[in-house]
Amino acid sequence: MSNNTHKVTIFDVAKHAQVSKSTVSLVLTHSDKVAAKSKEKVLLAIDELGYVYNRDAAALRSKRSNLVALVINDLTNPYAAQLAVGLETHIYALGMQPMLVNTAECVERQIQVVKTLKEYNVAAFIICSAPGTEQNWQDELISSGFPVINIMREVPFSQAPCILPDNKKGTHLATCHILSQGIEDVAFLGGVEEISDYHERVSGFHSALKQFNIRDPKPVIPANTNRQGGREAFTTLYQQAPNIKAIICFSDVIAYGAIEAIRQHGLLPGKDIKVVGFDDLEDSRLMQPSLSSVTINADDIGKRACQVLTELLTQSTPPVRTLVDVSLQIRDSSQ
């Protein structure tokens, strides 16, 4: 028997028994879905490795609450709030109860709220990660027995499955829409470099430029994803490139700030400078000029997340990465 019983993990048991981790989990939760021979191998490995304490913990974890923790990065962002509503609807439909928390884009706060939520023995975590979220932190959360799903943002190399909008396609469509009008003085505004969706959206901007054989570099101005970030990013851009004719924005909220700054510089949004956003918030079609934007269906994100949640809770293997399609809504700001 091992002298380091506190270090033995479910992965050690699986390796010793020459079975999958999910088979070990099924044995620990007394499932009747395991063949007798496999069960015997797992139980023998547990005894030989001294996995008594962790087996008890796993049995305790099988008595999960029906709470699903929704850990959202920024509920002051209208799209994040829209996303939370979509998730809640589908979680209720599963007969489970959503518990919503806001991390305000702070990774330290995210770590603290997740630690607290673990004490409630939640059934799973659905996380839109704060910038700086580490793979090891997520993997430790998963190995301690909590299913984790990433939405909207990817944590590179994490074991958690993720549901993402097709960010690259969205900005590619938006940029092609501008370039097809013969406009080449174009820039990308907004987003912070620590998050995956920033890089995906910038990549779509660059792929469209490449498709149109535009080789000279175009401005890319990172900024915090709020109105003030949009204002500041446009002011920085206009100082660098006073001949700018169109901007592709990381989000609609960035676009709102940029449009305010365009007017402050005595220019007309949609006429002097064309603007395209991303998220297609409800206010975007109501403003003047109405804002062209890439649509992400928040309800579809919620539905896909709950499909993956169901697979995790039944110990099936969901897809590692699910891309949700996007489309471009063309309005007055870019025609």
Side-chain angles (χ1 to χ4, degrees):
M1 185 177 287
S2 169
N3 291 324
N4 296 317
T5 55
H6 64 287
K7 292 185 178 178
V8 178
T9 69
I10 192 171
F11 297 100
D12 298 323
V13 174
K15 185 176 180 182
H16 194 78
Q18 296 183 311
V19 298
S20 68
K21 173 183 168 286
S22 61
T23 298
V24 178
S25 297
L26 290 169
V27 173
L28 290 169
T29 54
H30 308 291
S31 170
D32 57 3
K33 296 179 181 178
V34 187
K37 187 174 180 181
S38 295
K39 183 177 180 180
E40 187 180 331
K41 286 164 70 176
V42 170
L43 292 174
L44 183 61
I46 286 170
D47 288 339
E48 289 178 353
L49 294 176
Y51 189 66
V52 177
Y53 171 77
N54 284 338
R55 178 175 60 187
D56 290 343
L60 180 64
R61 285 199 296 271
S62 71
K63 299 178 177 67
R64 284 266 177 256
S65 70
N66 72 337
L67 296 173
V68 177
L70 305 183
V71 183
I72 304 297
N73 61 306
D74 181 13
L75 284 173
T76 64
N77 182 316
Y79 186 78
Q82 196 175 311
L83 184 65
V85 170
L87 282 162
E88 284 184 331
T89 301
H90 290 287
I91 289 168
Y92 282 126
L94 292 177
M96 304 185 83
Q97 181 78 31
M99 181 184 281
L100 181 63
V101 292
N102 175 39
T103 62
E105 297 284 32
C106 174
V107 72
E108 291 80 12
R109 183 168 170 178
Q110 177 179 274
I111 290 167
Q112 187 55 51
V113 298
V114 166
K115 184 179 178 183
T116 302
L117 288 165
K118 285 170 72 176
E119 295 170 10
Y120 285 85
N121 209 29
V122 296
F125 288 92
I126 298 177
I127 302 178
C128 184
S129 298
T133 300
E134 294 184 349
Q135 171 207 345
N136 289 344
W137 174 76
Q138 276 208 342
D139 287 350
E140 284 171 13
L141 180 58
I142 294 165
S143 65
S144 69
F146 291 91
V148 176
I149 301 167
N150 286 316
I151 57 168
M152 299 302 293
R153 295 174 176 175
E154 194 167 13
V155 176
F157 312 114
S158 165
Q159 295 175 27
C162 60
I163 291 90
L164 307 167
D166 196 340
N167 289 303
K168 183 174 181 178
K169 178 181 176 181
T171 46
H172 183 94
L173 290 174
T175 310
C176 286
H177 161 60
I178 294 296
L179 298 176
S180 66
Q181 298 177 55
I183 299 168
E184 293 191 8
D185 291 318
V186 62
F188 184 92
L189 291 194
V192 293
E193 295 176 279
E194 294 87 354
I195 52 177
S196 63
D197 48 358
Y198 168 82
H199 296 284
E200 290 163 0
R201 293 180 191 184
V202 170
S203 176
F205 174 69
H206 284 141
S207 68
L209 293 171
K210 185 177 180 181
Q211 183 174 314
F212 277 74
N213 296 314
I214 297 170
R215 306 200 180 281
D216 55 313
K218 301 300 177 183
V220 174
I221 314 287
N224 290 329
T225 51
N226 51 40
R227 279 184 186 246
Q228 186 58 26
R231 291 187 200 100
E232 292 172 358
F234 180 78
T235 300
T236 300
L237 170 67
Y238 198 59
Q239 289 169 351
Q240 291 180 11
N243 295 323
I244 197 73
K245 292 292 184 289
I247 53 174
I248 308 299
C249 296
F250 174 83
S251 69
D252 281 11
V253 174
I254 288 284
Y256 297 166
I259 284 171
E260 290 167 5
I262 289 169
R263 289 197 171 108
Q264 286 168 0
H265 284 84
L267 301 166
L268 288 174
K271 300 294 183 187
D272 298 317
I273 299 179
K274 296 184 185 292
V275 184
V276 184
F278 202 117
D279 290 340
D280 197 19
L281 301 174
E282 193 165 335
D283 284 352
S284 296
R285 61 184 174 82
L286 303 174
M287 63 190 294
Q288 292 296 327
S290 56
L291 179 65
S292 297
S293 186
V294 176
T295 301
I296 314 168
N297 188 323
D299 186 69
D300 203 13
I301 298 276
K303 185 193 298 181
R304 301 290 188 92
C306 286
Q307 286 170 351
V308 169
L309 174 61
T310 301
E311 291 187 66
L312 288 174
L313 293 177
T314 56
Q315 297 177 331
S316 301
T317 305
V320 173
R321 203 167 188 266
T322 302
L323 273 189
V324 174
D325 200 16
V326 298
S327 59
L328 177 63
Q329 300 298 318
I330 298 170
R331 302 192 180 100
D332 296 339
S333 70
S334 69
Q335 287 183 336

